[in-house]
């Protein structure tokens, strides 16, 4: 589920039209992002921070995008990192700042600066190294760095930020968006100050796997995204 799309989805509004789930970038026209882009609202001047275990910066749709990748020390990275983590991080970046093209992924904020903080999986060769500890290497630890780097928005595909991290980001007036989860579970607890996001498809139907509950504040395109 992609929480990164929520900020633009909530602002753009509009009515989603029926579209095949295999149509690239269906959400761009469905929610009027293309019209916003034409008016100059492209994310220019905004810094967005995300955290992923990996990313393929050579992906064609990321060429020309303003991306800063902040890796972990080598000893903190799982040498056998599954490809799915790299694919996920790449998809997240493309959804935000993808440069489009023929059949390519068009980002919602293609001119924004994106800072990608690599997060550890706890399986690196130096997992007992202080530099690889949760305080330094997990999503919460990495988001402290994002705040210091001047991020304007924090958007995460995880719901693992601890209360201390959320409180710190909230005190700095940083909007924090997190995935509500993909297990269809009723969410009864969530750190105050963080916005939990669910998913919907091109017909604005919420899939059964999307989290639900009183702390899921928003839904955003999360089905059939390339």
């Amino acid at each position: 589920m992609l929480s990164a799309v929520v900020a633009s989805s909530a602002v753009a509004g509009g009515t989603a039209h029926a579209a095949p789930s295999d149509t690239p970038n269906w959400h761009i026209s469905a929610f009027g992002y293309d019209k916003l882009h034409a008016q100059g609202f492209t994310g220019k001047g905004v810094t967005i921070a995300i955290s992923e275990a990996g990313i393929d910066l050579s992906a064609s749709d990321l060429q020309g995008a303003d991306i800063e990748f902040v890796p972990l020390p080598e000893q903190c990275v799982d040498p056998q990192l599954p490809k799915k983590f790299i694919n996920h991080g790449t998809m997240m970046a493309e959804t935000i700042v993808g440069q489009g093209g023929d059949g390519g992924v068009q980002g919602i904020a293609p001119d924004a600066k994106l800072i990608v903080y690599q997060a550890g999986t706890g399986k690196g060769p130096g997992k007992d190294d202080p530099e690889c500890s949760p305080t330094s290497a997990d999503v919460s630890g990495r988001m402290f760095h994002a705040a210091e780097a001047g991020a304007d928005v924090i958007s995460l595909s995880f719901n693992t930020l601890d209360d201390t991290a959320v409180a710190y980001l909230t005190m700095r007036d940083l909007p924090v968006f997190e995935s509500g989860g993909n297990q269809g579970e009723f969410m009864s607890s969530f750190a105050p100050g963080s916005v939990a996001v669910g998913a919907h498809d091109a017909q604005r139907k919420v899939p059964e796997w999307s989290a639900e509950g009183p702390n899921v504040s928003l839904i955003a395109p999360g089905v059939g995204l390339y």
Side-chain angles (χ1 to χ4, degrees), residues 157-174:
S157 298
F158 311 93
N159 53 351
T160 56
L161 279 183
D162 59 41
D163 290 357
T164 300
V166 173
Y168 177 75
L169 297 172
T170 301
M171 287 189 292
R172 296 187 65 130
D173 293 325
L174 287 175

Side-chain angles (χ1 to χ4, degrees), residues 121-199:
T121 62
K123 297 181 180 179
K127 62 182 180 180
D128 297 324
D129 188 310
E131 286 191 283
C132 307
S133 69
T135 303
S136 302
D138 73 356
V139 174
S140 290
R142 299 301 272 164
M143 288 305 96
F144 283 99
H145 296 286
E148 296 298 328
D152 299 302
V153 178
I154 306 293
S155 184
L156 301 169
S157 298
F158 311 93
N159 53 351
T160 56
L161 279 183
D162 59 41
D163 290 357
T164 300
V166 173
Y168 177 75
L169 297 172
T170 301
M171 287 189 292
R172 296 187 65 130
D173 293 325
L174 287 175
V176 180
F177 299 94
E178 293 185 83
S179 166
N182 296 340
Q183 305 303 316
E185 297 174 353
F186 186 88
M187 292 195 57
S188 59
S189 63
F190 215 81
S194 179
V195 179
V197 186

Side-chain angles (χ1 to χ4, degrees), residues 37-79:
H37 293 168
Q39 296 171 23
F41 296 100
T42 60
K44 189 174 181 62
V46 176
T47 298
I48 302 169
I50 65 175
S51 185
E52 295 286 339
I55 184 174
D56 179 8
L57 292 174
S58 68
S60 59
D61 293 313
L62 296 180
Q63 304 312 301
D66 186 0
I67 301 178
E68 178 183 353
F69 179 57
V70 185
L72 286 168
E74 184 176 356
Q75 71 269 21
C76 303
V77 180
D78 181 359

Side-chain angles (χ1 to χ4, degrees), residues 67-141:
I67 301 178
E68 178 183 353
F69 179 57
V70 185
L72 286 168
E74 184 176 356
Q75 71 269 21
C76 303
V77 180
D78 181 359
Q80 303 298 323
L81 186 68
K83 182 69 173 179
K84 66 179 182 179
F85 287 108
I86 299 173
N87 290 343
H88 187 277
T90 305
M91 180 184 181
M92 283 299 306
E94 291 174 334
T95 302
I96 301 170
V97 296
Q99 299 297 293
D102 295 336
V105 180
Q106 175 63 59
I108 286 176
D111 292 335
K113 177 177 181 179
L114 180 66
I115 308 179
V116 183
Y117 288 88
Q118 188 174 30
T121 62
K123 297 181 180 179
K127 62 182 180 180
D128 297 324
D129 188 310
E131 286 191 283
C132 307
S133 69
T135 303
S136 302
D138 73 356
V139 174
S140 290

Side-chain angles (χ1 to χ4, degrees), residues 1-13 16 26-27 30-31 33 92 95 108 155-156 177-182 195-207 209-211 216-225:
M1 206 284 293
L2 299 177
S3 65
V5 298
V6 68
S8 295
S9 297
V11 173
W26 63 263
H27 57 298
F31 287 90
Y33 301 138
M92 283 299 306
T95 302
I108 286 176
S155 184
L156 301 169
F177 299 94
E178 293 185 83
S179 166
N182 296 340
V195 179
V197 186
H200 68 74
D201 62 17
Q203 289 75 40
R204 269 196 189 172
K205 294 181 180 179
V206 177
W209 49 261
S210 180
V216 177
S217 303
L218 297 170
I219 56 172
V223 180
L225 300 180

